[in-house]
Amino acid sequence: MPQTPRSPNASADDPTRPGHRPGHGTHHGGIRDRIAGWASDLSTLHDLTDRLGRTTDLTDAVRETLRAGAALLGARRALFSLHPADGLGPERRIGLGLSHAEIGQLDTVPQASGETFPAAPAAASVTAFAAASTASSADTSPGAPAEVVHADIAGDEALHPRHREVAARLGCAASYAVPLAAAPAGRLGSAVWLYDRPAAPDPHLRRLLARYLRQAAQHLANRLELARAHAAARAVREGLLPGRIAPLPGAALALRHHRAPSAGGSCDFYDALALPEGALGLSIGSTTGPGPAALAAAGSLRAGLRAYAVMEGEDPVAVLSDLELLLRLTEPDRAATALFCYAEPPLTPDRATRHLVLASAGHPPPLVVGPARVAFAETALSAPLGMLACWEAPSTHVEVSRGETVLLYTTALLRATGEPLDAAFTRLESAARAATPAARADPGALADHIARAVPATGRPLPEDVVLLAARFD
């Protein structure tokens, strides 16, 4: 980062200033001095844009832009109001050297009339605080941002009293603001740099900042587009695969969805739903491949499974057979695993056990964990969905005592051990046996314990891992 100037209105011959030109304006100046100044400017811009280019997050990119402007202009604090012209958001205020309370105080400054650039209605502080009775433009070239300079806030009686009051409270004596825009996005928002004492930024450094901001605005526009894409993907994922499970009568539920830093491996689906006459349905599965197409397939399978469970949930084989047909018709080139568990209604309120009927299509068996036992609920072997010539495996039956937990999990949990499949199953069973009595009695605590104990120590999860625990009361 270039060295911050000692003062915003220091002499042009100050060697600490970015873009300093030795002897500029004296009889010693000449072509060599100008070339040296240009080289210094290019080096400064290169360093600043290089730092900006290494940011991948929209907020980090905004903060880096504010830091660069502060270093060039000699300001200590800054504020950016993100308010895209297309109205699609997001809208937010990001500060440099400003607390949330101080940003809140700036928001109370009334928006001035006759401003030179638009501002966010909810963030009028940027333009209102920078607006002045006189404004000057340091760069009149086409496309240059319209600057708003106020060199002495306290001394300008034309400003709104609230403007000067907030400035005095924050110790702000001067401000310099510019809008940021990029093609084809249009206006992105506005930035203002705040000074601790009266001053007007050096014209040369303002021109240098204007050149930097042209690059920064385009980078911010790209980060904004990426942030919107990520937000849209999260919204779609949450709509297709909610991050929580609704409470159900007769069972305590816990869901843990550990997302890998990068998409890979598979896309999971899961559900727990109330069925007619007090029965419960639990399901879990994975589709092959990452990305939006796999997410859409997972959402489709989850929706289809819910419908089939309501119609014929007491026969898990029929449910998965219908799901097999759905996958063949909608995603003929995709495979998926699935497990469906039907918990029959209790015959009497004081019955000590719950009868479960399970069917699996290539998915690992559930683990039953209680005070007195830890055992896999064996399921008949079957190929995954999309690979069946006909249904190959019958359903299996399990009796679960009151207070025992049925743990469903994705295959990625076993792969996270880094061990062969047999060893991974042994590791999962051992981890459950090592759970404390308190953890065995709480499905959320049990799921958390398993998520910590099963994956190899220090091994990052390359895929999403889902655990769905149901303790039957």
Side-chain angles (χ1 to χ4, degrees), residues 287 297 301 322-336 385-387:
T287 62
L301 290 176
D322 291 342
L323 204 63
E324 159 80 9
L325 180 60
L326 175 66
L327 185 66
R328 284 180 176 272
L329 293 175
T330 59
E331 300 277 347
D333 297 325
R334 190 181 301 278
L385 299 175
M387 298 183 180

Side-chain angles (χ1 to χ4, degrees), residues 376-405:
F376 286 104
E378 294 296 338
T379 55
L381 295 177
S382 172
L385 299 175
M387 298 183 180
L388 301 172
C390 61
W391 192 258
E392 300 172 358
S395 59
T396 58
H397 300 258
V398 178
E399 293 290 332
V400 177
S401 300
R402 180 176 289 121
E404 289 187 323
T405 297

Side-chain angles (χ1 to χ4, degrees), residues 59-87:
T59 300
D60 288 343
V62 168
R63 287 179 177 148
E64 178 58 37
T65 300
L66 294 178
R67 280 192 290 265
L72 285 172
L73 300 176
R76 186 171 64 88
R77 293 172 290 178
L79 180 66
F80 186 86
S81 172
L82 180 64
H83 182 60
D86 58 14

Side-chain angles (χ1 to χ4, degrees), residues 25-219:
T26 71
H27 65 280
H28 298 293
I31 187 63
R32 291 184 179 178
D33 294 335
R34 289 196 295 273
I35 291 175
W38 293 334
S40 176
D41 288 350
L42 289 174
S43 177
T44 297
L45 290 175
H46 178 272
D47 291 342
L48 292 174
T49 53
D50 181 65
R51 288 175 62 94
L52 179 66
R54 290 198 294 268
T55 62
T56 57
D57 176 80
L58 176 61
T59 300
D60 288 343
V62 168
R63 287 179 177 148
E64 178 58 37
T65 300
L66 294 178
R67 280 192 290 265
L72 285 172
L73 300 176
R76 186 171 64 88
R77 293 172 290 178
L79 180 66
F80 186 86
S81 172
L82 180 64
H83 182 60
D86 58 14
L88 300 178
E91 295 185 11
R92 65 182 67 155
R93 290 170 299 289
I94 301 170
L96 174 69
L98 293 168
S99 67
H100 290 295
E102 290 173 328
I103 294 176
Q105 291 186 54
L106 290 172
D107 284 339
T108 67
V109 176
Q111 189 167 2
S113 61
E115 293 171 359
T116 56
F117 54 93
S125 56
V126 172
T127 49
F129 204 77
S133 55
T134 59
S136 62
S137 176
D139 189 347
T140 58
S141 61
E147 304 168 297
V148 176
V149 182
H150 194 237
D152 185 5
I153 295 175
D156 191 343
E157 297 184 358
L159 288 175
H160 193 283
R162 182 60 180 169
H163 191 143
R164 288 180 286 150
E165 176 189 343
V166 171
R169 185 178 302 169
L170 300 183
C172 174
S175 61
Y176 173 76
V178 291
L180 270 72
R187 187 195 71 240
L188 302 174
S190 311
V192 60
W193 285 269
L194 308 175
Y195 295 95
D196 297 339
R197 55 194 178 88
D202 178 83
H204 168 66
L205 295 179
R206 285 152 59 180
R207 288 192 293 270
L208 196 61
L209 175 63
R211 296 187 180 97
Y212 169 77
L213 290 180
R214 292 190 187 100
Q215 301 296 322
Q218 192 60 56
H219 182 75

Side-chain angles (χ1 to χ4, degrees), residues 256 428-436 439-440 442-455 467:
R256 298 294 185 266
L428 172 57
E429 184 178 6
S430 299
R433 293 186 182 280
T436 64
R440 293 192 189 197
D442 182 342
L446 178 63
D448 290 335
H449 168 74
I450 295 296
R452 290 191 302 266
V454 173
L467 297 100

